[in-house]
Amino acid sequence: MKKTFIFLITLFLSISSFGISLTTDVIYSEKILQLFLGTVRPRAINPIVLYINEEGNLRAEFNKDQGEILIRITDTTNTPVYESVMNTSLERETYIPASTLPAGTYTIYFIIDDDNYWYAEFQL
């Protein structure tokens, strides 16, 4: 009994010190959207990872510093319905409240400059 108790305390302290979470609560699930390079320049790694949750909100993670990026969402007629500028030198993640848009198909662009941008299509 005493050895089991000591083992459990040691295991708990080990897990705590490594920051491993034992909770199983999931706030909401997300899926990754496929991003496409909008230019002919080849890229080894996508510098942006884009997620969408069940409500339709987007989260973008930036894997490297690319300076200021224009984030633009357009509808099927290519009319901008959302725009925001983000500085990836200061922040590596942003949330985009797309769930407030009407149901439909949209394209999100991450524009670094005229010749360098990423895009993904999504539906709400």
Side-chain angles (χ1 to χ4, degrees), residues 90-110:
L90 303 174
E91 298 178 75
R92 292 299 174 109
E93 180 178 77
T94 189
Y95 293 90
I96 304 155
S99 66
T100 59
L101 298 172
T105 301
Y106 296 91
T107 304
I108 185 167
Y109 295 92
F110 296 92

Side-chain angles (χ1 to χ4, degrees), residues 60-77:
E61 293 177 357
F62 301 92
N63 297 325
K64 69 178 207 172
D65 180 1
Q66 299 177 79
E68 286 193 351
I69 291 181
L70 171 64
I71 302 169
R72 177 183 291 154
I73 297 176
T74 62
D75 61 15
T76 55
T77 65

